[in-house]
């Protein structure tokens, strides 16, 4: 007898430095159930996986059991898509000095379902292509503006992974060279991340406050207490110094995007992350600088879009898209 076993769900795991959030997602991007554990409460990867499985069991049961799960997708720092591994992740206690075959470990514990893993920025790009503003696009760059700057590059409908699974680190392209270039967390000097991340915006504000004496709402804070949020709130009230911070940040980001256009001629740049909440304060100088510096053949072609995915669930949706992207059959025929 032949039985048609429909598998309508994937598991998405947003593996962050503090929390790991799991979601069971259907093909339309509806999150049917969620759960979470602390990422850093473990010293061994095996213990982390065991705790994850225990947390997953109840929500898997709510959708009919593991037989209804098609695949699992994981978005994680230092994730290698080709190998399904997390490699030397500095912010993960159980993976900071080793290579962890996390996809294989989860697959073995979940009845052998296929598991794919990639870095969190690539997962975000797949999420946009599957559920978000890049749906239907085959050439775009997703740029995540958070604590750091991440990126996922899609060309001809395929995620760019490179020869080793780590391609697409646009946050670590050098944008400032020479004396005074900022040190980036990666150890290099002048990276885009050092200037156009949320931490970069705060750093720029502190530097601007130190270099001039003009009045600013930001002077009511201790320099070390200034974050991108304070800069944004001050700029919204017309604070000239705060506005100049966003002009500076947007200019660098727009110039970088003009350079990025040369290698993939994207349909769009899609921006995601906390810094995008600044809206036009950031995006207007980005577009202005892009148009001033992009090659004439690319001018006027790329759209500049803000992600429409809900911030609290976007990372889980992105991770689930990695699972859908495995290309497994929608139905399994069993004799």
């Amino acid at each position: 007898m032949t039985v048609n076993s429909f598998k309508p769900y994937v598991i998405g795991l947003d593996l962050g430095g503090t929390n790991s959030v799991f979601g069971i997602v259907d093909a339309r991007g509806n999150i049917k159930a969620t759960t979470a554990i602390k990422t850093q409460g473990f010293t061994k990867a095996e213990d982390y996986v065991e705790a994850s499985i225990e947390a997953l069991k109840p929500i898997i049961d709510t959708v009919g059991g593991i037989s209804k799960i098609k695949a699992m997708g994981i978005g994680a720092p230092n994730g290698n898509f080709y190998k399904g591994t997390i490699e030397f992740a500095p912010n993960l206690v159980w993976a900071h000095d080793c290579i962890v075959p996390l996809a294989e470990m989860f697959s073995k514990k979940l009845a052998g379902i296929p598991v794919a893993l990639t870095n969190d920025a690539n997962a975000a790009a797949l999420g946009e292509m599957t559920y978000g503003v890049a749906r239907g696009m085959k050439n775009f760059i997703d740029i995540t503006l958070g604590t750091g700057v991440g990126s996922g590059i899609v060309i001809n409908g395929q995620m760019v992974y490179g020869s080793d699974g780590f391609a697409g680190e646009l946050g670590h392209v050098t944008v400032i060279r020479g004396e005074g270039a900022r040190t980036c967390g990666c150890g290099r000097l002048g990276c885009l991340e050092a200037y156009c991340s949320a931490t970069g915006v705060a750093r720029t504000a502190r530097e601007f406050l130190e270099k001039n004496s003009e009045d600013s709402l930001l002077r009511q804070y201790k320099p070390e207490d200034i974050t991108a949020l304070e800069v944004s709130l001050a700029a919204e009230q017309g604070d000239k110094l705060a506005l100049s911070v966003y002009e500076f940040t947007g200019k660098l980001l727009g110039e970088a995007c003009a350079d990025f256009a040369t290698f993939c001629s994207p349909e769009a740049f899609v921006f995601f992350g906390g810094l995008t909440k600044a809206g036009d304060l950031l995006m207007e100088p980005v577009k202005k600088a892009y148009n001033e510096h992009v090659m004439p053949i690319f001018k006027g072609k790329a759209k500049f879009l803000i992600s429409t995915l809900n911030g609290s669930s976007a990372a889980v949706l992105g991770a689930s898209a990695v699972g859908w992207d495995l290309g497994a059959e929608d139905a399994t025929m069993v004799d």
Side-chain angles (χ1 to χ4, degrees):
M1 180 179 175
T2 300
V3 178
N4 187 25
S5 178
F6 182 55
K7 298 186 176 184
Y9 306 110
V10 299
I11 299 169
L13 164 57
D14 169 34
L15 199 165
T18 303
N19 297 309
S20 291
V21 182
F22 302 83
I24 295 181
V25 185
D26 68 18
R28 295 190 179 189
N30 299 309
I31 299 176
K32 311 303 287 187
T34 62
T35 190
I37 65 170
K38 293 291 184 183
T39 305
Q40 299 290 39
F42 312 91
T43 57
K44 295 181 180 180
E46 291 82 1
D47 294 337
Y48 169 78
V49 172
E50 285 291 343
S52 297
I53 297 301
E54 287 304 310
L56 276 169
K57 285 178 180 177
I59 65 170
I60 291 174
D61 288 343
T62 66
V63 297
I66 195 67
S67 65
K68 298 297 183 182
I69 305 297
K70 175 180 176 181
M72 179 179 184
I74 303 171
N78 290 51
N80 187 321
F81 175 77
Y82 291 147
K83 298 179 180 179
T85 53
I86 295 178
E87 304 187 11
F88 306 104
N91 295 321
L92 298 180
V93 173
W94 44 267
H96 71 83
D97 60 355
C98 59
I99 297 174
V100 177
L102 197 67
E104 180 184 357
M105 294 169 74
F106 268 106
S107 182
K108 286 180 177 178
K109 294 289 186 178
L110 292 169
I113 67 168
V115 179
L117 179 152
T118 189
N119 75 44
D120 38 13
N122 286 342
L126 285 168
E128 291 295 343
M129 187 164 58
T130 306
Y131 308 114
V133 294
R135 193 166 186 173
M137 291 186 185
K138 292 187 176 181
N139 296 276
F140 69 95
I141 298 177
D142 187 89
I143 298 177
T144 301
L145 303 172
T147 304
V149 174
S151 61
I153 304 167
V154 175
I155 297 177
N156 297 334
Q158 298 293 318
M159 180 65 63
V160 174
Y161 291 110
S163 63
D164 60 357
F166 289 110
E169 290 288 351
L170 298 182
H172 298 288
V173 169
T174 301
V175 295
I176 299 288
R177 299 183 186 274
E179 186 177 352
R182 294 177 186 173
T183 300
C184 180
C186 73
R188 302 174 73 232
L189 297 175
C191 291
L192 183 67
E193 180 172 297
Y195 295 90
C196 296
S197 60
T199 50
V201 165
R203 187 170 176 179
T204 298
R206 289 191 286 269
E207 289 179 359
F208 282 17
L209 286 166
E210 186 177 349
K211 288 178 180 178
N212 67 66
S213 58
E214 69 178 284
D215 289 337
S216 172
L217 294 171
L218 295 174
R219 294 194 185 279
Q220 65 184 294
Y221 305 102
K222 294 179 180 179
E224 62 271 21
D225 291 337
I226 294 174
T227 70
L229 176 60
E230 282 74 42
V231 180
S232 177
L233 293 173
E236 288 174 355
Q237 296 180 61
D239 186 273
K240 289 184 178 180
L241 188 141
L243 288 169
S244 69
V245 170
Y246 277 107
E247 286 288 337
F248 174 80
T249 305
K251 180 175 183 293
L252 284 180
L253 185 55
E255 290 172 355
C257 288
D259 289 339
F260 301 158
T262 62
F263 68 78
C264 66
S265 185
E267 299 171 65
F269 293 92
V270 180
F271 298 89
F272 175 77
L275 206 58
T276 62
K277 293 178 182 178
D280 287 345
L281 292 172
L282 177 67
M283 296 311 300
E284 287 304 316
V286 167
K287 289 184 279 190
K288 181 175 183 290
Y290 179 85
N291 289 326
E292 289 175 351
H293 293 276
V294 74
M295 286 181 65
I297 57 172
F298 299 121
K299 188 170 290 188
K301 294 181 179 179
K303 299 175 183 177
F304 286 76
L305 305 173
I306 302 294
S307 173
T308 56
L309 296 179
N310 182 284
S312 61
S313 60
V316 168
L317 288 175
S320 75
V322 182
W324 291 116
D325 201 48
L326 280 171
E329 295 296 324
D330 286 337
T332 301
M333 302 299 291
V334 181
D335 289 329

